[in-house]
Amino acid sequence: MSVGIDEISFYTSNYFLDLRTLAEVQGTDPEKYYQGIGQIKMGMAAPDEDVVTMAANAALPLIERVGGDAISTLMFATETGIDQSKAAGVYVHRLLGLTSNCRVVEMKQACYSATAAIQMACALVARQPEKKVLVIASDIARYELDTPGEATQGCGAVAMLISANPRIVEIAPEVGNYTEDVMDFWRPNYRSTALVDGKYSTKIYLRSLKQAWENFRQVSAASFEDFGHFCYHLPFSKMAQKAHQQLARINKAGLSAEQLEEQILDSLYYNKIIGNSYTASMYIGLTSLLENCRQNLAGSKIGFFSYGSGCVAEFFSGTVMEGYQQYLHTERHSKMLEARSEVSYDEYLALYKHPDPRDGERCDIPHVTTGRYRLVSIVDHKREYIAL
Ligand code: CAA
């Protein structure tokens, strides 16, 4: 049976910092960011936005089209957890008006967990083909100020409907996995920003790619040449370029540098101007490929490399379906990105440092977001969300 992504939509905040502004304040050459890491802008969440509001915004267009009744399970992937116990998806379930018979669960393994959610969703649908599973990945990437990671912040959420006979991408059952207990990037419960051993993390990423690919080759007949395009986890877009060059080297691919670049270029556009969105980033990359590639991708095979620090990695594949273009949300996404406002460095700092109360005292949050959902207050340690 064919199972995969039936519809896909993403959301990012209305605010961004141009990395030139950051570079000027730091006295760094902006080309280090524009060319060196391949990033132009980074999205900054408004004070009344978090992973819940971003997730609901990302999923709303899907619910408006297919209705909530068909959704049997909502899987919420994030590494920006807002609660140690309650799944963030339960708030989203209410905001989207899903049925009370829909199960909700939150999943975590750094940037990888949306892929685990998709594989599990495919298994659920294979068992009950009349059901649809809503997978949402939502994250706010935060590093300490004045660290090498600062320029790789960002925020975003992506919502994907997993169903039988999907209209966008069919996902193949063969996967290659790699897991290793390493400390390349992590965030202990008591910290709001990630700790990272930056250079080491890029080495582990590339090592995991090699290992996951080799494992994939043991179970799949597909070879490097069978893939027209590739989507990589995107902490910053240059990482995908390094990864793709490595994969081509491993496979002794006889492609020119330009041909290799063409296989990933369209997947990078959105991430370059949104920044890292952890669990969501590879799937925003997929959206970018589908919506920006001029060529008709129907029938084309896509290779996916999902990486979550710590680390768990997976290589898998998908085939683009005939007529996929008519189910995309291209216009909505481009309007959302065009409507964003640039912030100054001081405004960026204010967004970065907005109050994050932990003592249970009443905190009313000003209305800043331009999205359809917002976090209104935190009272008695309870977060209150509304639809606008
Ligand atoms: N013009 C053009 N290029 C320039 C330049 C200039 N003026 N100045 C520097 N560069 C280039 C450098 O040559 C380098 O390119 P190469 O890697 O191809 O050599 C690039 O810009 C970056 O420069 P540095 O290596 O000096 O950068 P850095 O050490 O300050 O920071 C980083 C790089 C360590 C990756 C940092 O961005 C970081 O810590 N990021 C967060 C961690 C991360 O994203 N890791 C990725 C793997 S882990 C993962 O994927 C999970 C996740 O989501 C976090």
Side-chain angles (χ1 to χ4, degrees):
M1 183 205 314
S2 166
V3 181
I5 302 172
D6 192 51
E7 198 155 334
I8 185 164
S9 150
F10 77 91
Y11 174 83
T12 187
S13 171
N14 190 49
Y15 303 98
F16 72 85
L17 180 75
D18 194 300
L19 291 179
R20 177 180 297 281
T21 309
L22 184 65
E24 277 163 6
V25 171
Q26 292 174 335
T28 305
D29 181 355
E31 290 309 317
K32 172 176 176 181
Y33 299 143
Y34 288 176
Q35 296 298 327
I37 60 168
Q39 292 298 119
I40 301 166
K41 301 170 180 177
M42 62 188 193
M44 288 300 297
D48 52 345
E49 286 182 315
D50 66 6
V51 288
V52 168
T53 62
M54 291 197 305
N57 276 300
L60 182 65
L62 274 52
I63 302 301
E64 283 174 345
R65 264 198 203 163
V66 301
D69 292 357
I71 295 168
S72 63
T73 300
L74 190 175
M75 291 186 174
F76 194 105
T78 187
E79 56 182 298
T80 320
I82 51 165
D83 195 292
Q84 300 278 22
S85 173
K86 179 168 175 164
V90 176
Y91 298 105
V92 178
H93 173 276
R94 174 178 63 78
L95 291 172
L96 295 177
L98 301 184
T99 76
S100 52
N101 299 121
C102 170
R103 74 157 78 78
V104 180
V105 68
E106 183 168 313
M107 308 190 68
K108 178 176 69 181
Q109 177 18 61
C111 306
Y112 163 73
S113 62
T115 298
I118 284 180
Q119 297 295 359
M120 289 174 194
C122 287
L124 281 175
V125 169
R127 221 170 135 155
Q128 288 184 295
E130 72 284 6
K131 305 282 188 196
K132 292 184 197 294
V133 177
L134 178 59
V135 172
I136 308 181
S138 183
D139 270 307
I140 297 173
R142 276 286 177 88
Y143 295 89
E144 288 290 305
L145 298 175
D146 302 321
T147 62
E150 184 180 4
T152 67
Q153 298 177 108
C155 64
V158 65
M160 291 166 281
L161 212 49
I162 305 300
S163 77
N165 305 315
R167 295 170 300 173
I168 309 264
V169 174
E170 176 184 352
I171 295 184
E174 298 83 13
V175 300
N177 288 111
Y178 180 69
T179 296
E180 184 184 352
D181 183 3
V182 284
M183 297 302 281
D184 60 329
F185 168 105
W186 67 105
R187 182 166 72 84
N189 287 341
Y190 48 83
R191 287 184 61 96
S192 60
T193 52
L195 295 163
V196 62
D197 188 341
K199 298 272 189 230
Y200 180 58
S201 71
T202 60
K203 279 195 189 124
I204 298 291
Y205 180 116
L206 294 176
R207 182 156 91 202
S208 304
L209 169 61
K210 181 171 184 289
Q211 300 286 346
W213 171 255
E214 282 172 5
N215 188 228
F216 175 76
R217 290 288 286 131
Q218 286 166 12
V219 294
S220 170
S223 65
F224 184 86
E225 288 69 31
D226 293 326
F227 295 100
H229 296 269
F230 291 79
C231 290
Y232 290 89
H233 167 54
L234 294 172
F236 49 93
S237 69
K238 189 77 170 288
M239 192 71 235
Q241 288 164 310
K242 285 176 192 265
H244 196 49
Q245 282 158 12
Q246 173 181 280
L247 197 62
R249 257 194 319 274
I250 293 170
N251 288 285
K252 300 184 176 54
L255 298 179
S256 66
E258 290 71 31
Q259 286 171 315
L260 288 178
E261 187 68 7
E262 260 175 41
Q263 293 186 318
I264 58 168
L265 193 65
D266 292 319
S267 72
L268 308 179
Y269 288 127
Y270 292 158
N271 182 272
K272 277 173 174 283
I273 56 171
I274 291 174
N276 196 354
S277 54
Y278 292 158
T279 52
S281 86
M282 187 177 78
Y283 297 98
I284 293 180
L286 168 63
T287 318
S288 180
L289 167 65
L290 296 168
E291 296 182 350
N292 293 299
C293 187
R294 291 205 179 146
Q295 160 200 350
N296 180 359
L297 291 170
S300 177
K301 215 184 237 306
I302 302 175
F304 293 92
F305 176 64
S306 177
Y307 175 75
S309 289
C311 70
V312 178
E314 182 161 320
F315 194 98
F316 65 102
S317 73
T319 305
V320 182
M321 306 307 289
E322 201 64 54
Y324 68 98
Q325 298 94 331
Q326 55 187 303
Y327 306 112
L328 299 173
H329 294 268
T330 313
E331 201 184 326
R332 196 187 133 264
H333 292 146
S334 89
K335 276 190 185 149
M336 174 180 71
L337 292 170
E338 274 165 26
R340 294 193 303 166
S341 306
E342 180 173 355
V343 295
S344 66
Y345 183 72
D346 286 344
E347 288 165 336
Y348 154 69
L349 279 187
L351 290 174
Y352 182 96
K353 293 179 177 167
H354 76 75
D356 179 20
R358 282 147 199 246
D359 56 8
E361 261 203 21
R362 182 181 184 97
C363 175
D364 292 305
I365 301 165
H367 185 178
V368 179
T369 179
T370 56
R372 294 280 301 273
Y373 301 94
R374 80 179 205 92
L375 174 63
V376 176
S377 60
I378 304 175
V379 181
D380 293 335
H381 298 284
K382 294 173 192 159
R383 300 169 86 86
E384 195 195 324
Y385 297 95
I386 58 164
L388 297 165

